[in-house]
């Protein structure tokens, strides 16, 4: 696939933005200011970005408990996300959702979701709406290797095929369902084959390589856009941090993450490819790095000093009208 | 005014709303039926109780969607379609299958708006048949509305007659919040007068079906008809009652119940749910809290025993509150003050 | 970055709400670069090290070793060298830590509906304008009004025109009270209801009235063996209060000297030890076997090792080594008991129990059977030293297949230890004692100690335990096999 300079710069910036967002949260999480569960996406950036680069605001995605990457890739405002994670009044969800429920319907982001396997049926419903609107829009669900064994996912795969819905299933295998290896939880050796068995095409990708994911996702999304029914993308990557912040990760080899960071990192890989092909100036990418760091610093300062939601808001928004 | 069954009234509401608004869709198992069959017939079922009959012929398979047997996914798909701007009416066949799809109801649709900071709407309706009295046994006879009423974020509708069923279903479809619509399966064939033309019955407004001065009787769904029989019999002896049908349990018209209790000082609540955490317990708690000074005696609930629904005819008849038990409860209430 | 950077007690993991300062790694005034180790913080059995996350000078240490502090507490100040002491003082004085506690703080009642609808409706209804309207017309109007059915009925009865009444309910819904107010204004209010006549008959009092008392008072009465009928009530309606029961019990007692007590709160380490022991004792069905082992050969053997090699082998090291050999001979004891079955290990890794200030840790000696006894002794001494200095890492504490615990130095004759799950057994050593024994040449005195083995009966049967103890006895009483 031919990518323009703008495409390349935007792809790099999105990945860098997710990475620095998560790296910063990992440090800040120690201070105790962030309440509750935080699950970081660092290491898997190529998947979220490679998929969402093929989408517009008219398309829907639904995410998982590890949702920051998908939210940023779909265009959610980073500062409002940060405010939400800190539980502030002006957060994306007015401080009522937190890290695990970031959503922005105006961007077609139907929410991070705390229930493993809760997303695909919902994304299928959005796909029914896309189909009825006849505007070529699609609906995408991200799930991990853990959710790939949930009955809800099997139901959604089958129903999407039955209804010929424009729905794209992204399977992100990061190697671990919480604290258990994916190879243990998935009973078959051939996950792609299992998904194909439901009657939809599966496009496999290297989840460390944004170009590979982009190509696979484009094929899958085009298939759905053209009214040929649902499709799936299967991508493998790793997460750099624990299942949640504070997870001692006793299930992982000591040097595993270090090795991945050195040998497979999606950002290093991107720069290497760009360098070899003499596509962009290194200074341009360095400029993006510092711009992103400044943006996150601003968001962090804003989040730390922003006011909490007013107490009265605890009663708001249970209903549209009651 | 036309006389029709509750089944026909609900069907009329679906036709009315689907014509009115192209974003209304219907989905569920066998809502049309016949898909993939060897006869080539569509609309082979029209819903397991015939409520969705005929819709596919007018609105087509894109808006009247037959699904596999996947309750989680049916409700989940209704959730997503609603978030994406449609007004889905999903059918669950039996209210008991709330158990199968509970995550999508309890953790998803009920919480979207609140947890997304008021920036989402989920105008989905989940229709289901509920209730005992047809020997459908333990897994196809539960009322379920008490559990659903306990979930903030849901609205819950329990019509007792055809006119209300039509008006309330129209309101449910037009409502911007998720609505659980519970149709008592023993009432589908109940006939009643239904006003002509488009109308919608508001949520949170109880109906006052009998007026009296001695006892306030609150009854829900099928129990309303049973209470009418008991009340009409006692009226001949000079004992008169207010009969209140809340029609929606969430929102609940507390004012009407409390005002009636101010006038009568006595309260009987008839609820076809096992007593613990039932609507009877909930309404009793509200009145004990807000209307205590009006009460002349204890609040008397009339409910089944705290057991699953039995199968055998004799057992089920004994299990469901009867007009005789309601009559006895009203007489008990009269002993106070 | 602002010029002054606070360092706070970190949050490591979901449930961490406090930690204790174990050791400072950096002196005040030292320059710190990102990644430098700053302070050791004890959470449970394990000590974690907090690293500096930016460059600067460590200007203040604000927590002393041993202090237990909540997450978010200020423990140090990093700042550039040119920041004045006064600025730092002001920063510390104004610092407000994050409240990361899981405990309910100042109880805040949830906001009321009134707070939200600041436009609280006033309950005065405007009087209806008197105009000549027929009763039927009023009924027709009332049918269309936004009113509760009860209010509508009352308005019809009283001839109140609801189209002229302002409702105070939700969205202007007219309530019964609104109709009554409007009727009063119109002069059509019903007479005030007569007070209820008193009931014709009081219920007959029960023959022997059961004393009135709440559950707390009843429970205390049971505990103190007090008959409630002997208690003078002070509560409303003659209800017996808990205090009344206490007074009755006090009156019965002649007072011994006053009892005073103080509570020592659990430290994180003590709490985690308590939890682990409770789990172990509740989940593993323990049984015990004791064996007397003669030290007549072991004592001179150890003395000679230490004299000729400059080694520092203790009786404990000797028994760890002997247990290692015995485990190699009975591998069915060198196990972990797991949910799915019993896991046998090829290598013998023995944990030794080391008492430290405020608790107990069990560092692990690796490959005991394959390691020379002198090297083993040196290794054990180093581990014990690091345990007391609180510098053990989680790697030092993981993966033992067996444990040896020893109270001999305190003169304990024999004791039963609690197994460390998932291990299958633990060996408890008592003190060496002199005992008279019958020998072919008459009565002779010899040294002997009692070794008690606790076993998890799910995986180890009595005969297997006996086999292990016999092997241990044979090896310990013929120690040359350990060096040959």
């Amino acid at each position: 696939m031919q990518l323009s300079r703008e495409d390349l710069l935007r792809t790099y910036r999105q990945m860098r933005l997710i990475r620095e967002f998560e790296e910063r949260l990992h440090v800040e999480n120690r201070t105790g200011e962030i309440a509750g569960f935080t699950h970081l996406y660092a290491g898997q950036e190529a998947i979220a970005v490679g998929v969402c680069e093929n989408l517009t605001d008219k398309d829907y995605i639904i995410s998982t408990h590890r949702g920051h990457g998908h939210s940023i890739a779909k265009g959610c405002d980073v500062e409002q996300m940060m405010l939400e994670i800190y539980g502030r009044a002006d957060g994306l969800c007015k401080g009522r959702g937190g890290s695990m429920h970031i959503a922005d319907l105006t961007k077609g982001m139907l929410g991070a979701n705390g229930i493993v396997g809760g997303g695909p049926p919902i994304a299928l419903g959005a796909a029914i709406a896309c189909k009825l609107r006849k505007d070529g829009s699609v609906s995408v669900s991200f799930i991990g290797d853990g959710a790939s064994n949930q009955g809800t996912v099997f139901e959604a795969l089958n129903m999407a095929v039955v209804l010929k819905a424009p729905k794209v299933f992204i399977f992100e295998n990061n190697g671990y369902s919480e604290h258990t290896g994916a190879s243990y939880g998935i009973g078959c050796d051939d996950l792609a084959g299992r998904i194909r068995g439901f009657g939809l095409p599966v496009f496999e990708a290297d989840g460390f390589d944004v170009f590979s994911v982009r190509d696979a996702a484009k094929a899958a999304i085009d298939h759905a856009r053209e009214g040929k029914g649902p499709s799936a993308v299967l991508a493998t990557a790793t997460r750099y941090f624990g299942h949640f912040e504070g997870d001692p990760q006793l299930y992982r080899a000591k040097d595993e993450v270090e090795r991945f960071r050195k040998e497979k990192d999606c950002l290093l890989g991107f720069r290497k490819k760009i360098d070899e092909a003499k596509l962009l100036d290194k200074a341009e990418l360095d400029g993006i790095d510092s711009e992103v760091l400044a943006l996150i610093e601003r968001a962090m300062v804003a989040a730390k000093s922003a006011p909490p939601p007013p107490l009265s808001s605890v009663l708001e928004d249970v209903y549209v009208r009651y | 005014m036309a006389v029709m069954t509750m089944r026909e009234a609900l069907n009329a509401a679906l036709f009315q709303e689907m014509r009115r608004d192209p974003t209304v869709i219907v989905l569920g198992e066998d809502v049309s039926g016949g898909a993939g069959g060897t006869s080539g017939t569509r609309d082979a079922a029209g819903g397991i109780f015939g409520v969705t009959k005929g819709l596919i012929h007018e609105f087509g398979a894109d808006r009247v969607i037959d699904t596999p047997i996947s309750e989680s996914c049916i409700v989940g798909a209704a959730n997503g379609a609603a978030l994406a701007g449609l007004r889905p009416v999903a059918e669950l066949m039996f209210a008991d299958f709330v158990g199968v799809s509970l995550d999508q109801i309890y953790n998803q649709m009920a919480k979207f708006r609140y947890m997304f900071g008021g920036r989402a709407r989920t105008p989905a309706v989940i229709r289901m048949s509920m209730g005992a009295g047809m020997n459908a046994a333990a897994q196809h006879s539960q009322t379920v509305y008490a559990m659903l009423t306990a979930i903030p974020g849901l609205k819950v509708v329990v019509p007792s007659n055809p006119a209300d069923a039509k008006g309330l279903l129209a309101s449910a479809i037009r409502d911007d919040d998720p609505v659980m619509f519970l149709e008592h399966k023993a009432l589908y064939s109940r006939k009643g007068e239904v006003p002509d033309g488009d109308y919608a019955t508001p949520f949170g407004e109880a109906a006052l079906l009998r007026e009296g001065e001695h006892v306030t009787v609150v009854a829900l769904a099928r129990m309303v008809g049973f209470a009418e029989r008991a009340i009409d019999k006692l009226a001949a002896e000079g004992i008169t009652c207010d009969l209140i049908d809340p029609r929606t349990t969430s929102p609940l018209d507390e004012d009407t119940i409390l005002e009636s209790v101010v006038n009568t000082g006595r309260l009987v609540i008839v609820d076809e749910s096992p007593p613990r955490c039932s609507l009877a317990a909930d309404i009793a708690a509200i009145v004990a809290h807000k209307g205590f000074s009006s009460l002349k005696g204890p609040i008397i609930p009339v409910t089944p025993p705290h057991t699953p629904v039995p199968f055998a005819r004799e057992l089920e008849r004994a299990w469901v509150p009867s007009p005789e038990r309601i009559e006895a409860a009203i007489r008990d209430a009269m002993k106070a003050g | 970055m602002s010029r002054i950077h606070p360092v706070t007690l970190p949050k490591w993991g979901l449930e961490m709400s406090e930690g204790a300062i174990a050791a400072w790694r950096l002196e005040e005034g030292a320059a710190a670069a990102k990644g430098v180790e700053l302070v050791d913080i004890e959470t449970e059995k394990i000590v974690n090290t907090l690293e500096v996350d930016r460059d600067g000078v460590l200007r203040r240490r604000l927590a002393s070793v041993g202090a237990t502090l909540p997450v978010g507490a200020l423990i140090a100040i990093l700042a550039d060298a040119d920041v004045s002491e006064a600025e730092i003082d002001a920063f510390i004085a104004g610092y407000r830590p994050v409240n990361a506690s899981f405990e309910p703080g100042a109880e805040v009642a949830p906001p009321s509906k009134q707070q939200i609808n600041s436009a609280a409706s006033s309950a005065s209804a405007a009087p209806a304008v008197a105009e000549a309207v027929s009763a039927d017309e009023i009924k027709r109007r009332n049918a269309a009004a936004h009113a509760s059915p009860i209010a509508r009925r009352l308005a019809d009865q009283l001839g109140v025109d609801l189209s002229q009444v302002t409702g105070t309910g939700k969205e202007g819904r007219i309530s019964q009270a609104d109709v009554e107010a409007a009727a009063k204004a119109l002069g059509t209010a019903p007479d005030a209801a007569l007070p209820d006549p008193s009931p014709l008959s009081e219920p007959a009092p029960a023959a022997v009235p059961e004393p009135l008392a709440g559950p707390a008072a009843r429970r205390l009465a049971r505990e103190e063996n007090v008959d409630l009928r002997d208690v003078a009530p002070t509560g409303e309606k003659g209800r017996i209060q808990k205090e009344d029961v206490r007074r009755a019990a006090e009156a019965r007692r002649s007072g011994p000297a006053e009892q005073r007590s103080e509570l020592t709160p659990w430290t994180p380490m003590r709490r985690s030890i308590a939890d682990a022991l409770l789990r172990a004792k509740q989940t593993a069905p323990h049984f015990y076997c004791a064996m007397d082992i003669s030290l007549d050969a072991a004592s001179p053997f150890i003395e000679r090792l230490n004299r000729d090699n400059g080694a520092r082998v203790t009786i404990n090291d000797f028994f760890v080594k002997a247990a290692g050999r015995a485990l190699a001979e009975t591998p069915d004891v060198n196990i972990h008991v797991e949910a799915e079955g019993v896991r046998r290990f090829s290598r013998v890794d023995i944990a030794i129990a080391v008492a430290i200030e405020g608790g107990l840790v069990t560092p692990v000696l690796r490959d005991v059977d394959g390691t020379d006894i002198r090297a083993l002794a040196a290794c054990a001494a180093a581990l014990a030293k690091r345990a007391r200095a609180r510098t053990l890492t989680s790697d030092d504490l993981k993966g033992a297949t067996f444990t040896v615990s020893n109270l001999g130095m305190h003169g304990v004759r024999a004791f039963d230890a609690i197994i460390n799950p998932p291990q299958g057994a633990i060996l408890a050593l008592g003190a060496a004692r002199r005992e008279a024994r019958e020998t072919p040449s008459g009565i002779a005195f010899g040294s002997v100690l009692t070794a008690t083995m606790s076993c998890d009966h799910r995986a180890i049967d009595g005969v297997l335990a006996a086999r292990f103890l016999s092997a241990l006895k044979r090896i310990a009483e013929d120690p040359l096999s350990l060096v040959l």
Side-chain angles (χ1 to χ4, degrees):
Chain A
M1 167 182 16
Q2 269 306 310
L3 296 177
S4 69
R5 256 178 54 81
E6 284 64 39
D7 286 340
L8 290 171
L9 287 169
R10 197 181 50 247
T11 298
Y12 179 79
R13 183 178 182 277
Q14 291 287 70
M15 290 203 294
R16 175 61 65 191
L17 191 54
I18 297 169
R19 172 66 52 85
E20 297 305 337
F21 190 89
E22 301 294 64
E23 291 276 6
R24 182 66 186 264
L25 278 178
H26 179 66
V27 170
E28 295 294 343
N29 201 69
R30 296 197 313 206
T31 69
E33 287 162 288
I34 299 170
F37 287 100
T38 316
H39 309 81
L40 300 182
Y41 189 74
Q44 299 171 232
E45 293 87 347
I47 303 176
V49 174
V51 171
C52 291
E53 279 295 294
N54 294 287
L55 301 175
T56 73
D57 282 355
K58 275 203 309 211
D59 299 315
Y60 294 100
I61 68 164
I62 193 156
S63 167
T64 66
H65 53 277
R66 198 174 307 289
H68 302 167
H70 307 132
S71 305
I72 291 174
K74 194 69 175 63
C76 292
D77 182 88
V78 171
E79 184 164 320
Q80 282 189 292
M81 281 176 65
M82 198 68 92
L83 289 168
E84 187 58 35
I85 289 163
Y86 274 75
R88 304 304 190 204
D90 295 332
L92 213 39
C93 304
K94 300 186 194 168
R96 281 210 301 266
S99 164
M100 228 182 346
H101 302 301
I102 286 171
D104 186 348
L105 281 286
T106 64
K107 296 278 196 287
M109 166 53 175
L110 301 178
N113 201 306
I115 307 294
V116 173
I122 299 169
L124 171 60
I128 290 173
C130 295
K131 187 179 169 187
L132 212 57
R133 282 206 296 258
K134 296 187 169 60
D135 59 359
S137 53
V138 300
S139 174
V140 177
S141 60
F142 288 91
I143 57 163
D145 46 280
S148 74
N149 302 317
Q150 278 275 28
T152 45
V153 175
F154 299 154
E155 293 180 24
L157 283 162
N158 180 60
M159 203 188 284
V161 171
V162 169
L163 302 181
K164 223 173 169 192
K167 159 128 204 318
V168 183
F169 293 81
I170 313 291
F171 290 81
E172 288 187 72
N173 185 343
N174 68 10
Y176 296 99
S177 310
E178 304 199 9
H179 314 261
T180 300
S183 55
Y184 174 84
I186 299 171
C188 64
D189 295 335
D190 176 15
L191 182 55
R194 182 207 270 183
I195 303 162
R196 270 191 203 101
F198 280 94
L200 66 168
V202 180
F203 301 88
E204 296 188 63
D206 173 2
F208 296 99
D209 177 359
V210 71
F211 301 106
S212 163
V213 177
R214 206 183 159 121
D215 287 349
K218 185 172 190 319
I221 289 165
D222 287 349
H223 179 92
R225 280 205 206 289
E226 289 158 13
K228 296 176 185 164
S231 57
V233 174
L234 179 54
T236 307
T238 193
R239 55 168 151 83
Y240 287 166
F241 298 118
H243 166 57
F244 55 79
E245 284 307 274
D247 169 10
Q249 301 195 75
L250 302 176
Y251 46 89
R252 291 184 99 163
K254 273 252 181 304
D255 59 341
E256 181 181 291
V257 170
E258 234 20 71
R259 223 180 43 243
F260 275 122
R261 276 190 186 258
K262 266 218 255 321
E263 294 165 14
K264 302 282 280 179
D265 184 82
C266 57
L267 283 148
L268 293 176
F270 181 96
R271 275 183 172 247
K272 199 158 162 272
K273 274 200 170 153
I274 293 294
D275 216 36
E276 284 164 4
K278 304 251 183 304
L279 285 169
L280 295 170
D281 188 3
K282 181 175 173 300
E284 273 185 295
L285 298 181
D286 292 348
I288 287 176
D289 290 356
S290 27
E291 179 248 330
V292 161
L293 281 171
L295 172 66
I296 283 166
E297 179 65 29
R298 274 201 306 279
M300 191 52 79
V301 168
K304 286 188 180 229
S305 57
L311 209 51
S312 61
S313 72
V314 79
L315 298 179
E316 289 168 11
D317 297 321
V318 180
Y319 297 93
V320 177
R321 206 169 149 275
Y322 194 62
Chain B
M1 284 282 193
V3 171
M4 55 174 85
T5 60
M6 191 166 99
R7 180 190 340 275
E8 291 163 337
L10 289 163
N11 182 260
L14 288 168
F15 270 101
Q16 170 187 302
E17 294 307 305
M18 288 187 84
R19 284 172 189 152
R20 204 176 148 266
D21 180 352
T23 66
V24 178
I25 63 168
V26 166
L27 71 158
E29 301 154 28
D30 297 338
V31 288
S32 120
T38 49
S39 67
T41 310
R42 293 310 310 270
D43 215 24
I48 184 173
F49 291 103
V51 172
T52 49
K53 194 95 189 137
L55 294 173
I56 192 157
H57 299 309
E58 180 166 344
F59 304 108
D62 278 353
R63 289 182 65 199
V64 183
I65 302 169
D66 277 325
T67 67
I69 303 175
S70 306
E71 284 82 6
S72 289
C73 201
I74 293 165
V75 179
N79 292 346
L83 285 175
L86 301 183
R87 291 189 177 272
V89 184
E91 180 175 306
L92 264 193
M93 289 198 172
F94 291 89
D96 315 69
F97 301 164
V98 157
V100 185
S101 53
L102 193 59
D103 172 63
Q104 289 291 348
I105 293 170
Y106 180 72
N107 287 316
Q108 310 289 356
M109 72 193 313
K111 296 177 170 60
F112 284 153
R113 182 168 184 80
Y114 190 77
M115 136 183 125
F116 296 165
R119 294 183 174 127
R121 291 179 178 205
T122 318
V125 181
I126 314 295
R127 286 183 44 248
M128 51 196 114
S129 73
M130 67 151 177
M134 322 261 303
N135 315 115
Q139 292 183 339
H140 292 77
S141 302
Q142 297 163 93
T143 49
V144 182
Y145 50 72
M147 175 167 74
L148 297 171
T149 301
I151 302 174
L154 300 179
K155 290 172 179 169
V156 184
V157 184
V158 288
S160 66
N161 62 71
D164 283 349
K166 182 182 173 188
L168 290 166
L169 183 54
S171 282
I173 293 170
R174 295 176 198 182
D175 199 281
D176 285 330
D177 291 307
V179 180
M180 302 286 126
F181 199 92
L182 293 108
E183 302 155 9
H184 200 295
K185 60 176 80 66
L187 295 179
Y188 279 125
S189 300
R190 179 182 159 171
K191 287 199 168 81
E193 290 207 327
V194 175
D196 301 326
D198 279 14
Y199 69 95
T201 306
F203 287 177
E205 295 211 1
L208 184 62
L209 299 170
R210 293 286 187 279
E211 300 186 25
E213 52 183 309
H214 298 113
V215 181
T216 300
V217 180
V218 178
L220 295 151
R222 187 187 185 207
M223 296 298 109
V224 173
F226 286 15
E228 282 173 343
R229 280 191 238 171
I231 289 166
D232 294 347
K233 184 175 167 199
L234 287 164
E237 301 174 27
I239 299 172
T240 63
C241 303
D242 272 352
L243 173 60
I244 295 169
D245 172 5
R247 300 195 289 198
T248 57
T249 58
S250 180
L252 178 71
D253 184 356
E254 296 178 14
D255 297 350
T256 294
I257 297 167
L258 290 164
E259 286 172 2
S260 174
V261 170
V262 166
N263 298 327
T264 63
R266 304 179 185 92
L267 176 60
V268 171
I269 311 167
V270 194
D271 177 9
E272 191 199 307
S273 307
R276 297 300 319 281
C277 299
S278 60
L279 253 292
D282 184 53
I283 292 168
I286 289 166
V287 174
H289 174 55
K290 296 178 178 173
F292 185 74
S293 56
S294 309
L295 287 168
K296 296 172 181 162
I299 298 166
I300 302 178
V302 184
T303 70
H306 203 66
T307 70
V309 184
F311 164 69
R313 282 203 173 86
E314 301 76 3
L315 294 179
E316 193 183 44
R317 268 188 220 118
W319 189 91
V320 174
S322 61
E324 292 70 32
R325 280 184 55 205
I326 299 169
E327 183 190 327
I330 296 171
R331 289 187 193 279
D332 264 359
M334 288 302 292
K335 290 177 188 161
Chain C
M1 142 177 185
S2 58
R3 289 154 32 87
I4 300 179
H5 178 62
V7 180
T8 53
L9 196 97
K11 185 169 185 283
W12 282 317
L14 214 81
E15 292 161 59
M16 179 173 169
S17 59
E18 58 179 26
I21 307 292
W24 285 98
R25 298 293 192 95
L26 214 57
E27 293 303 322
E28 277 187 0
K34 186 175 171 171
V36 166
E37 296 187 337
L38 174 67
V39 59
D40 291 348
I41 290 166
E42 180 190 338
T43 53
E44 288 196 335
K45 276 193 171 188
I46 294 174
V47 175
N48 278 312
T49 304
L50 178 66
E51 296 172 355
V52 176
D53 62 3
R54 65 192 66 205
D55 301 354
V57 177
L58 177 59
R59 296 291 297 273
R60 296 284 174 85
R61 299 196 319 203
L62 298 168
S64 47
V65 171
T68 297
L69 298 165
V71 163
L74 193 59
I75 58 173
I77 296 288
L78 282 175
D80 299 338
D82 61 346
V83 176
S84 74
E85 296 296 331
E87 276 179 89
I88 291 177
D89 288 343
F91 180 91
I92 294 169
Y95 189 80
R96 292 223 319 280
V98 171
N99 178 4
S101 158
F102 297 120
E103 296 304 311
E107 280 295 346
V108 184
S112 67
K113 284 276 186 203
Q114 273 74 13
Q115 265 175 282
I116 289 161
N117 309 339
S118 52
S121 49
S122 72
S124 72
V129 180
E131 47 171 312
V133 187
S134 74
D136 280 351
E137 172 61 13
I138 285 178
K139 275 193 177 154
R140 204 185 54 72
R141 288 183 190 183
N142 288 356
H146 183 39
S148 77
I150 313 277
R152 193 172 292 125
R153 176 176 68 193
L154 185 65
D156 289 350
Q157 281 170 3
L158 299 177
V160 173
D161 180 352
L162 291 182
S163 66
Q164 304 301 313
V165 175
T166 312
T168 59
K170 212 175 75 172
E171 291 169 3
R173 192 181 187 194
I174 298 166
S175 69
Q176 183 179 357
D178 296 335
V179 176
E180 281 165 1
K184 208 164 168 180
L186 281 172
T188 60
D191 292 339
L194 293 168
D196 281 347
S198 51
L200 294 177
S201 63
E202 289 282 329
V208 183
E210 175 71 14
L212 271 177
R218 282 185 193 282
R219 189 172 60 225
L220 187 65
R222 268 200 308 278
E223 287 167 3
E224 296 279 9
N225 224 340
V226 170
D227 187 337
L228 283 176
R229 282 167 302 195
D230 304 339
V231 178
T234 62
E236 273 180 57
K237 299 181 185 168
R239 194 179 170 93
I240 294 167
Q241 313 280 48
K242 207 169 149 183
E243 256 331 291
D244 304 337
V245 179
R246 212 190 305 280
R247 255 196 306 280
E250 284 294 330
R252 229 182 25 194
R253 276 199 287 264
S254 58
E258 193 192 347
Q259 170 70 293
R260 277 192 292 269
S261 70
E262 80 182 82
L263 179 75
T264 307
W266 295 111
T267 62
M269 177 163 83
R270 231 24 265 190
R271 190 180 298 130
S272 77
I273 291 174
D275 290 348
L277 288 172
L278 184 64
R279 253 200 317 277
K281 192 75 179 178
Q282 284 180 336
T283 54
H286 285 58
F287 77 95
Y288 310 96
C289 299
M291 178 77 86
D292 284 347
I293 298 173
S294 162
L295 299 175
D296 293 351
S299 297
F301 170 80
I302 294 170
E303 266 168 45
R304 181 147 176 215
L305 268 182
N306 288 344
R307 196 181 59 228
D308 296 355
N309 297 284
R312 299 284 304 274
V313 178
T314 64
I315 188 89
N316 196 62
D317 299 328
F318 174 83
F319 270 95
V320 169
K321 176 69 192 175
R325 174 63 51 86
L327 285 166
E329 288 183 19
T330 48
D332 287 342
V333 180
N334 191 48
I335 54 167
H336 280 179
V337 184
E338 297 177 4
E340 296 77 23
V342 177
R343 187 182 295 282
R344 252 173 57 171
F345 291 89
S346 59
R347 199 177 67 194
V348 179
D349 291 357
I350 296 184
I352 48 174
V354 180
I356 59 170
E357 186 65 38
L360 168 87
V361 289
T362 51
V364 185
L365 291 158
R366 307 286 170 194
D367 195 10
V368 172
D369 188 41
T371 307
D372 175 85
I373 186 165
R374 283 150 292 205
L376 207 62
C379 210
L383 280 175
K385 191 168 161 202
R386 284 178 40 218
R388 283 185 279 270
R390 302 282 179 105
T391 57
L392 289 174
T393 68
S394 58
D395 284 350
D396 294 326
L397 300 166
K398 269 201 309 235
T401 58
F402 189 80
T403 302
V404 174
S405 183
N406 186 347
L407 287 175
M409 61 297 248
H410 302 292
V412 169
R413 183 170 175 276
F415 70 104
D416 300 338
I418 295 180
I419 300 165
N420 269 325
Q423 295 160 37
I426 184 167
L427 190 69
L429 302 173
R433 58 182 192 275
R434 302 289 291 169
E435 232 178 38
R437 275 200 300 265
E438 194 179 355
T439 67
S441 53
I443 299 288
F445 279 86
S447 274
V448 67
L449 67 68
T450 303
T452 311
M453 181 185 181
S454 315
C455 307
D456 184 334
H457 211 323
R458 290 175 300 176
I460 298 173
D461 293 330
V463 173
L464 179 57
R467 272 225 321 273
F468 168 82
L469 284 172
S470 307
L472 180 71
K473 182 179 170 76
R474 178 172 43 74
I475 294 159
E477 294 180 352
D478 180 15
L480 278 184
S481 65
L482 291 175
V483 286
L484 290 176

